[in-house]
Structure formats: C-alpha cells, structure tokens
Amino acid sequence: MAANNPYSLTFGRIPRQYINRPAEANDIIEDLTADYPSQTAYILTGIRGCGKTVLLTEIENQLQEDDRWTVISLNPAIPDLVDSLARKLSRQKRLQTVFSNASIDLSAFGLGISLGNRAPVYDAESMIEEMLRSMDGHNRRLLVTIDEVSRTQQMRVFAGTFQNLMRRGLPIYLLMTGLYDNVTALQNINDLTFLYRAPKIMLSPLSTAQMARNYQDVLSLEEAAALYYARETKGYSFAFQSLGYYLWKYPADRKTALDSAISYVQSNSYRKIWSELSEQDQKFTRLIAESKTGRVSDILNAEGISNSQFSPYRRRLIDKGIIHGTKRGYVAFSLPWFQEYVMTEAE
C-alpha cells in the first residue's frame, strides 16, 4: 500500500499529487518570455516546506520545453559557481550548433576556447560571455537556477559575474530560492544592486478549494471531510502532502492518520524551523502561542511590553512565514499545528 501512496514525504521533488501555483509561476514565466523582460532575476522565498523548490522545478520544466531556452541548475555549495556554469553551458547539446557557427571551439575547454581569428579565452566569465553573445545572435536565452541560496563567498562571486553579464545586455536570467533570513542577507551586499532590486516572491498558502478537491478525488473522501482536512493544513504544502500520505495509509482510521501527520510535520519540519529562530524570535513566538486571544494588546499587557518592542519581532515572524496579521490588531500562526508544537515540544 505504501509503495503506491500518491502523496510524498520527500522535500523538493515534484510529488504525484501536486497543487500548482499558477499565479506565481505564470507571472515569472510570462515576464521571462516577453520580448523585453522587466526583470532579470527573481527570488522565491518562504518557510521550509512551503514548496519553493517544487515551484522552481516547475518553472524549469516549463521553460525547458521552449527551444529558445536553456536552463542550468547550479549547486550553491560547490566552490566555484562561475566555472560550473561555464562548463555546464558548454556541454548543452541544443547549443552545439550555435557555438559551432560562432567559431567557438569547446573541445579544449579545460585550457581555453578558440574564437576564430581572435586570441583564446581562458577565464570562465569571458567564456560565458562569448557563449551568451552567440546565443543572443540566435535568439536564445539562458536561465540559471539556484536552490537554497545563502550569503557565501561563492554566491557573492557568482552574483558579481551575473551582474557584469547582465549589464552587457546578454540573455542571462536568474531564479533562486531561499529562506527569508538568507535571502535578506544576500540582498544586502552593497555592491550587488541588482539583487536588492530583484523581486522577492513570498509563496502564498495553497488553495483550500484545490486541496479539498484533491482529497475528494484521490482519497474518496466525502466533501465535508475533504474540506475539513484541507483546512487543517492551512495551505502549508508539506502538511498537505503529509496528511494525504497518512489518510491514504490509514483509510479506516482517520484519527490515527491526522495524529501521524501532525507528528511527522512537527518532527521533520518544525523542529528545524524552531532551531533556526533567534532566541528573541523564540521568546516572542512563545508569547504568541501562549495567548488565548491572539490580540496584540492582550499580549502586550500580559507581558508588560510596549508595541515598539513587539513590532519588529512581529514583522520578522510574518516575513519568515510563521505568523500572519491579516486581522487588524491580531496575530495568528500561519503554520498548522505549530502553536501546539511551541507549547509542548519546543525546547
């Protein structure tokens, strides 16, 4: 039974049962494929398990179906991202004719590339520039994707190279994912202004209606039950997959299924999320969890703190995707079962 389970507990991979995000995906793809894109770089951000990597992969797959596009994914942990991009670009089969017509000889890539009658090029950035110029002449574009970025030296070097290539008007574009703190730190590098201006897209919760329909169709749940379980997930992608997985595994015991899903999400996602919060973030998260009303004024009065003390942490927790303040004067947890985790499990 488990082997045929249509839901996935694995992070990152596009699951068989997938609730797409047409708004975010279409906005990015429509801009990138426009004659004159308004942006050269996009950043997808959100809490762990919200579906950033899956959306990144969906956009990659859609663009790869277009012959005009070449998509290259880079591992942010490798020492030299620029060299990796040059080597991966040089090996793209769909571009071999383009490079051949431009007299770019890639056979000696390890030593340099021959450019017809011009002197050989030996550094990776110059190699990428020449290949991109050839692509531009054939109406080809390159999308570079990087999953889970952070402020490292290799990312800083790569971002500098990307900025140089972008300033020259070459057809290179960038799509990255990252946690809020990591993305913010990367965007705050002073000499990389394009990163600061890059749209930072916070992933919204999955559609409750779509999740409910999925649970109805795949799990054969009655409409009311499907809607109940969809609402339980609060649109958190990892919770949607986990709950679906255990409802499939325990079709005759829905209480066990729900309890198992809660335990799995708390152990495999919330423990890590909690550990990444600062001591002060944890303190204010506990205050919110302990509040019976969620009213900001009640939290302030109970703890004897001012709104000016509370506001920066409220903003940070919203930006991280842990709470929301959609109702004026109140705060509530965006993540399902996170309040219970903070009250009973968080250390």
Side-chain angles (χ1 to χ4, degrees):
M1 187 76 164
N4 296 320
N5 199 311
Y7 297 93
S8 174
L9 300 180
T10 303
F11 280 101
R13 181 182 302 172
I14 294 182
R16 288 164 57 196
Q17 298 303 318
Y18 172 52
I19 306 297
N20 60 19
R21 300 174 186 270
E24 291 96 335
N26 291 344
D27 285 350
I28 294 173
I29 291 173
E30 286 177 7
D31 184 43
L32 290 176
T33 55
D35 291 340
Y36 302 99
S38 62
Q39 302 291 342
T40 56
Y42 284 91
I43 304 173
L44 304 175
T45 189
I47 200 75
R48 288 187 183 277
C50 72
K52 300 184 297 296
T53 302
V54 172
L55 180 58
L56 176 80
T57 305
E58 180 189 355
I59 294 171
E60 287 178 332
N61 291 343
Q62 288 193 43
L63 285 181
Q64 282 172 334
E65 294 177 0
D66 187 334
D67 289 338
R68 295 173 301 169
W69 282 89
T70 294
V71 180
I72 293 177
S73 177
L74 298 180
N75 179 352
I78 63 174
D80 193 334
L81 291 167
V82 178
D83 180 76
S84 178
L85 175 58
R87 293 180 182 278
K88 287 188 174 186
L89 184 57
S90 74
R91 293 197 295 266
Q92 295 295 309
K93 291 183 179 179
R94 66 170 60 182
L95 295 175
Q96 295 309 303
T97 301
V98 172
F99 297 151
S100 176
N101 291 342
S103 299
I104 299 179
D105 178 11
L106 298 167
S107 61
F109 181 78
L111 299 174
I113 59 177
S114 172
L115 304 171
N117 296 325
R118 288 173 287 168
V121 173
Y122 292 96
D123 70 278
E125 182 175 330
S126 297
M127 293 176 184
I128 295 170
E129 180 178 350
E130 292 299 333
M131 287 186 279
L132 286 172
R133 290 192 186 283
S134 299
M135 292 174 64
D136 195 27
H138 288 78
N139 194 29
R140 303 292 184 90
R141 295 179 180 180
L142 171 65
L143 175 68
V144 179
T145 64
I146 306 177
D147 192 24
E148 294 298 343
V149 297
S150 57
R151 182 169 174 163
T152 61
Q153 181 59 27
Q154 55 263 43
M155 267 304 306
R156 182 168 187 158
V157 171
F158 172 80
T161 294
F162 179 87
Q163 183 166 263
N164 286 339
L165 296 170
M166 178 192 67
R167 284 193 302 103
R168 294 167 192 152
L170 296 170
I172 184 170
Y173 302 86
L174 181 62
L175 177 60
M176 302 181 290
T177 75
L179 299 175
Y180 174 79
D181 283 345
N182 292 339
V183 166
T184 301
L186 188 63
Q187 287 188 304
N188 286 338
I189 297 176
N190 290 331
D191 53 345
L192 297 174
T193 55
F194 87 93
L195 277 176
Y196 186 77
R197 294 194 298 265
K200 187 163 56 176
I201 300 171
M202 184 80 169
L203 265 60
S204 58
L206 298 177
S207 163
T208 300
Q210 285 186 294
M211 289 187 294
R213 284 196 297 271
N214 179 277
Y215 283 164
Q216 273 189 273
D217 295 341
V218 178
L219 300 170
S220 300
L221 296 181
E222 57 274 19
E223 183 178 355
L227 184 58
Y228 168 78
Y229 288 117
R231 286 172 173 165
E232 276 288 306
T233 72
K234 292 187 177 181
Y236 180 45
S237 182
F238 189 53
F240 164 71
Q241 291 293 331
S242 300
L243 185 50
Y245 180 93
Y246 284 108
L247 285 169
W248 175 277
K249 185 175 181 179
Y250 303 115
D253 190 349
R254 293 178 184 176
K255 183 180 185 306
T256 295
L258 180 58
D259 290 344
S260 298
I262 293 172
S263 177
Y264 193 86
V265 170
Q266 289 179 340
S267 297
N268 292 276
S269 181
Y270 294 170
R271 186 174 297 170
K272 181 66 173 175
I273 290 172
W274 180 259
S275 71
E276 291 172 336
L277 295 177
S278 70
E279 186 175 334
Q280 284 296 98
D281 284 341
Q282 289 181 349
K283 172 187 173 181
F284 282 95
T285 302
R286 286 186 189 278
L287 294 182
I288 295 169
E290 291 168 357
S291 172
K292 295 180 179 180
T293 65
R295 190 195 298 266
V296 172
S297 59
D298 291 345
I299 297 171
L300 300 181
N301 292 335
E303 298 301 321
I305 56 178
S306 67
N307 190 54
S308 61
Q309 290 175 299
F310 181 71
S311 290
Y313 294 98
R314 175 181 177 274
R315 182 73 257 166
R316 279 172 54 82
L317 293 173
I318 290 174
D319 289 339
K320 288 172 181 286
I322 291 174
I323 66 171
H324 65 81
T326 52
K327 184 178 180 181
R328 185 175 179 82
Y330 290 80
V331 288
F333 285 96
S334 303
L335 298 170
W337 322 309
F338 193 75
Q339 182 173 8
E340 295 84 349
Y341 175 80
V342 174
M343 295 292 290
T344 61
E345 302 291 337
E347 298 178 357

